[in-house]
Amino acid sequence: MFVFGLAVVFKLISIQFMQGDKYRALATERVVKDVVIPANRGNVYSVNGNLLATSIPKYDIRFDALTPSVKNFEEYVKPLCDSLSKYSGKSSNRLEKDIRKARANKNRYYLLARNIGYSDYIRLRNFPLLNLGAFKGGLIVEQKTKREHPMGAIAQRSIGYERFDDKGNVTRAGIDGAFGVKYLRGVDGKRKKQQIGKGQWKPLSDANEVEPKDGYDVYTTIDVNIQDIAHHALLKQLEEYEADHGCVVVMETKTGEIRAISNLGRNSDGLYYERLNYAVGESHEPGSTFKVMALMAALEDKMVDTSTVIDTKLGYKQFYGRGIYDTHGHGKISVARVLEVSSNIGLATIIDEGYAENPKKFISHLQDWNLNKPLGLPILGEGKPIIPGPGDKIWSKNALPSIAYGYNLKLTPLQTLTFYNAIANNGVMVKPKFIKAVKELDDVIETFEGDGSNEKICSEKTLKEIQGILKNVVVRGTGRSLYSEYFSMAGKTGTAQTEYWMKDWKENRRYISSFSGYFPAENPKYSCIVVIHKPSVEKGYYGADVTGPVFKRIAQKIFTDTPIIDEVQSLDVRVAEVEGEFESFYETAQTYKTVMPNVVGLPAMDALALLENMQVEVKVKLNGNGIIKEQSVSKNTKLKTNQTVVLKAS
């Protein structure tokens, strides 16, 4: 017994003095810990200062029912419950009963309010008893942030996000994801919390040990007005043609700044939403929009000129045992006309006859234009282009004529647009830009300018010839249905088979419709590409029918909203001619400033724009989308400041 007692005493002394620091640290670690306080993520803005993404602080207010002294608790519990009653609408007596029960049960983590905003947080922390703070009043405040997109679903995927799952894996999409680590994320803070029960921790003090440092704000190149136009123009066409998915990109010609990017895919219910960033991430066979690149190579090498006559037969010609078809037979036509009518046979003949003996010479042009390389965008998930060459697995004798009209290779929509934008920009290719500046409040941290390159992609002669042909595509070629004598556009239609290697293709044909071009044709301000995948064959699938109208609608709405050429003498006349539906809109906007106009029959977005830009500030609530069917305030009614107007749309 004496030896056993000595062993116990020795062990106690050992724990107390020799291992004491270790166990004291372990005990502290188990009951007190540093908790990360996430920094407020920086905001994402449009080029004109509109908020695209922001972090909204949210708060949970809890009450440590044991902390207040008996005197403070009894003196302030009734006023606290009265204040909580006015805030929540619950009975004051019931609230007091619950709080007293929490104190009796030694509840140190009683929930008073969950997921409230900053103004409500300030209001609650000034309630009686809670205003005494954490040590005297038992106030427990837990803060978290929630990412919000004020524009809703419009451009949501392109604006992006940064998300972590339960295992710590991160997904970074769009602009928010691309610039999150370097600029938006900020530096997290720290706060000590003490364990007060199983799985429950309370802050040790009101203040943080290390205050979080908010992230920088990112100003993008997106223009919300153009983005809205592009989104709704694409959505309308996707719904009309019951297509699988599609994308639109609008780029400023001189700078390469992306003014709008919309990516819409269909879910199982047939509704469209920003599913994936198709414009950046989806490589596919471009079809006829690639014919421009092929012909430019041949013109540069003087294999042909625009007046060279090409025999396109009657719509069918064999190349190395494989037949190539045209939609219509054109016979013998000029090289310029080959591109205007988008002859597959014509382009295949030009490229095969010019480069069959030396295909590397043709492929080298595509490589010089960097079409075989990704654009190197900061946005993650950029699609990989494929330009095969002699010796590759997918190369054969038929590869060259196939590439000539846009098959047997892959490009992303943004790559195609970048090339067309170079044609519009007098031959100078500029890299697409999504971000303009990084700021901390009003202080500019970093700006993003062009790459400074003035090297042209081709000779001046080739450039002028291609520009003339692209203009004639709209005037008298495959895009002639888009022609307007009051507004000039230039571009190329595209219709490509997709999934043609699948066994059921003949029974269930699938196409990719596209249109890539720029406007106005004479002095381009913007370039634009529209790509729609798998439109309903019964309703139409040609690029001029499916994607061309989207391009035209975007171009003309931008034109009417923002005049971009100095020669326009009467914008009102052009509006009426360009798009008749705008005549009544502008007339109404000029007439009704303080009284309610008749918006029934207008598109929902036009009605919202009309009411939100009146001299009287009104609140507009829109139910549904499409065309306005009902308005809660009658026409010619005098509007009051902050009056709510309810619109019902079909």
Side-chain angles (χ1 to χ4, degrees):
M1 290 295 291
F2 177 72
V3 172
F4 178 74
L6 286 177
V8 171
V9 170
F10 173 78
K11 191 64 176 177
L12 288 173
I13 293 172
S14 174
I15 292 173
Q16 181 70 23
F17 297 104
M18 297 173 64
Q19 297 176 298
D21 292 340
K22 172 186 173 182
Y23 286 111
R24 276 189 290 272
L26 186 61
T28 301
E29 181 182 336
R30 290 184 176 180
V31 298
V32 177
K33 68 176 181 180
D34 283 325
V35 177
V36 172
I37 308 297
N40 284 328
R41 197 173 182 85
N43 295 329
V44 179
Y45 292 95
S46 72
V47 71
N48 31 23
N50 301 94
L51 194 60
L52 301 180
T54 186
S55 293
I56 305 295
K58 296 293 183 181
Y59 302 87
D60 290 346
I61 306 298
R62 296 182 180 271
F63 177 57
D64 183 348
L66 286 186
T67 293
S69 65
V70 174
K71 178 183 176 183
N72 286 339
F73 183 83
E74 295 299 334
E75 182 178 354
Y76 294 114
V77 67
K78 179 60 178 173
L80 169 63
C81 293
D82 290 342
S83 297
L84 288 171
S85 178
K86 291 179 181 178
Y87 171 78
S88 65
K90 297 179 181 178
S91 164
S92 177
N93 291 334
R94 179 65 185 178
L95 288 166
E96 184 178 352
K97 182 179 179 181
D98 290 342
I99 289 176
R100 288 187 178 277
K101 182 178 179 181
R103 186 173 174 88
N105 292 337
K106 300 181 180 181
N107 189 336
R108 308 197 67 181
Y109 206 59
Y110 182 73
L111 181 66
L112 295 178
R114 185 191 297 277
N115 206 33
I116 62 175
Y118 182 76
S119 58
D120 286 338
Y121 155 65
I122 294 297
R123 180 181 173 187
L124 261 71
R125 73 170 298 147
N126 286 303
F127 282 176
L129 190 58
L130 300 182
N131 60 5
L132 299 179
F135 294 117
K136 293 184 178 181
L139 173 66
I140 300 174
V141 179
E142 294 186 331
Q143 177 182 337
K144 57 183 180 240
T145 57
K146 184 180 179 182
R147 201 67 169 164
E148 297 281 359
H149 292 82
M151 288 183 66
I154 296 178
Q156 192 173 51
R157 186 79 186 187
S158 301
I159 295 168
Y161 54 83
E162 183 179 60
R163 292 177 185 165
F164 293 86
D165 63 17
D166 295 337
K167 297 181 180 179
N169 299 316
V170 62
T171 302
R172 297 187 178 97
I175 295 168
D176 202 313
F179 300 101
V181 175
K182 189 173 182 180
Y183 300 117
L184 291 165
R185 185 184 290 176
V187 180
D188 293 339
K190 289 184 180 180
R191 189 177 194 181
K192 288 193 179 296
K193 285 191 175 184
Q194 180 182 28
Q195 190 173 29
I196 57 174
K198 186 176 181 180
Q200 295 183 345
W201 298 77
K202 63 167 281 188
L204 285 178
S205 65
D206 277 346
N208 298 322
E209 276 66 37
V210 177
E211 291 295 332
K213 185 181 185 301
D214 293 346
Y216 296 132
D217 296 330
V218 168
Y219 285 76
T220 71
T221 60
I222 300 294
D223 184 305
V224 293
N225 296 318
I226 298 177
Q227 179 68 46
D228 183 70
I229 290 169
H231 172 89
H232 287 93
L234 176 63
L235 177 61
K236 178 181 178 181
Q237 206 74 345
L238 288 171
E239 291 176 338
E240 183 175 339
Y241 282 86
E242 300 174 2
D244 183 75
H245 65 275
C247 66
V248 168
V249 185
V250 180
M251 180 189 293
E252 190 172 81
T253 304
K254 299 297 182 186
T255 64
E257 294 181 356
I258 301 298
R259 293 292 179 238
I261 176 169
S262 183
N263 301 276
L264 297 174
R266 186 173 58 184
N267 63 14
S268 57
D269 297 325
L271 301 176
Y272 293 92
Y273 69 107
E274 288 263 338
R275 190 169 67 181
L276 294 170
N277 197 337
Y278 303 110
V280 172
E282 185 174 43
S283 297
H284 60 84
E285 291 177 311
S288 296
T289 54
F290 187 79
K291 291 173 181 174
V292 173
M293 293 80 148
L295 182 56
M296 282 181 64
L299 291 173
E300 279 292 273
D301 289 334
K302 297 181 172 54
M303 298 295 181
V304 292
D305 60 36
T306 54
S307 60
T308 302
V309 175
I310 303 297
D311 187 1
T312 65
K313 307 296 182 182
L314 297 178
Y316 176 80
K317 182 179 179 180
Q318 278 201 348
F319 290 79
Y320 308 106
R322 176 174 166 268
I324 293 179
Y325 294 86
D326 279 342
T327 306
H328 305 287
H330 300 288
K332 294 181 179 181
I333 55 177
S334 69
V335 164
R337 190 63 180 160
V338 164
L339 191 57
E340 289 173 12
V341 299
S342 197
S343 169
N344 296 336
I345 295 171
L347 261 299
T349 300
I350 293 169
I351 300 305
D352 186 61
E353 289 182 356
Y355 297 98
E357 299 301 321
N358 187 10
K360 286 185 177 181
K361 187 175 182 180
F362 174 74
I363 298 300
S364 67
H365 279 290
L366 309 183
Q367 294 172 344
D368 290 343
W369 293 327
N370 292 320
L371 295 177
N372 62 325
K373 299 176 183 177
L375 292 167
L377 303 174
I379 292 179
L380 303 179
E382 185 181 354
K384 184 178 180 181
I386 297 176
I387 304 289
D392 291 343
K393 288 183 179 180
I394 59 174
W395 188 264
S396 66
K397 284 189 175 182
N398 274 305
L400 200 59
S402 295
I403 290 173
Y405 61 100
Y407 287 86
N408 210 47
L409 77 157
K410 289 185 178 182
L411 296 175
T412 67
L414 196 53
Q415 272 190 303
T416 301
L417 176 61
T418 301
F419 191 89
Y420 275 76
N421 189 78
I423 297 172
N425 192 30
N426 292 319
V428 178
M429 187 177 290
V430 291
K431 185 177 178 179
K433 283 173 56 181
F434 289 89
I435 181 171
K436 197 167 184 68
V438 175
K439 295 183 180 180
E440 184 178 25
L441 298 178
D442 291 330
D443 296 331
V444 177
I445 304 300
E446 190 172 350
T447 58
F448 299 83
E449 303 299 334
D451 54 18
S453 173
N454 291 313
E455 185 178 345
K456 292 193 174 186
I457 60 174
C458 63
S459 67
E460 192 68 21
K461 181 177 182 294
T462 298
L463 182 65
K464 294 303 180 185
E465 289 172 342
I466 288 294
Q467 288 175 340
I469 295 172
L470 290 179
K471 184 177 179 180
N472 285 331
V473 167
V474 177
V475 174
R476 64 191 186 198
T478 55
R480 59 188 176 276
S481 61
L482 311 177
Y483 173 72
S484 168
E485 61 179 306
Y486 300 100
F487 182 72
S488 61
M489 299 172 285
K492 181 71 184 73
T493 58
T495 307
Q497 298 176 4
T498 186
E499 298 179 358
Y500 51 83
W501 54 87
M502 298 181 71
K503 293 181 179 179
D504 68 336
W505 193 86
K506 288 186 177 180
E507 295 77 30
N508 179 22
R509 292 175 297 154
R510 279 90 77 188
Y511 293 91
I512 300 173
S513 301
S514 58
F515 191 96
S516 188
Y518 49 86
F519 56 91
E522 293 77 17
N523 183 24
K525 175 70 173 177
Y526 298 106
S527 61
C528 175
I529 188 169
V530 185
V531 181
I532 291 180
H533 286 248
K534 303 179 187 177
S536 170
V537 176
E538 288 74 19
K539 295 192 174 185
Y541 57 88
Y542 288 113
D545 300 327
V546 181
T547 52
V550 180
F551 179 92
K552 182 178 181 180
R553 195 174 298 124
I554 292 170
Q556 292 184 337
K557 283 200 173 187
I558 292 174
F559 175 73
T560 53
D561 286 350
T562 310
I564 53 181
I565 54 177
D566 297 333
E567 291 77 11
V568 178
Q569 296 178 351
S570 175
L571 183 60
D572 288 338
V573 173
R574 296 220 175 193
V575 170
E577 294 290 341
V578 171
E579 201 163 358
E581 66 188 67
F582 282 125
E583 182 176 0
S584 59
F585 175 83
Y586 280 98
E587 183 180 344
T588 303
Q590 293 167 3
T591 304
Y592 293 88
K593 297 294 185 182
T594 60
V595 296
M596 182 67 190
N598 179 24
V599 297
V600 174
L602 285 179
M605 297 309 298
D606 290 346
L608 285 173
L610 186 65
L611 293 174
E612 290 177 351
N613 287 283
M614 301 183 73
Q615 291 180 356
V616 179
E617 187 173 341
V618 295
K619 298 178 180 178
V620 184
K621 182 178 180 182
L622 176 63
N623 295 327
N625 53 55
I627 304 300
I628 300 299
K629 298 298 184 184
E630 296 180 27
Q631 59 187 62
S632 64
V633 180
S634 302
K635 179 184 177 182
N636 294 327
T637 302
K638 185 77 172 178
L639 293 170
K640 300 177 182 178
T641 301
N642 292 325
Q643 182 175 354
T644 300
V645 178
V646 180
L647 304 178
K648 292 184 179 179
S650 59

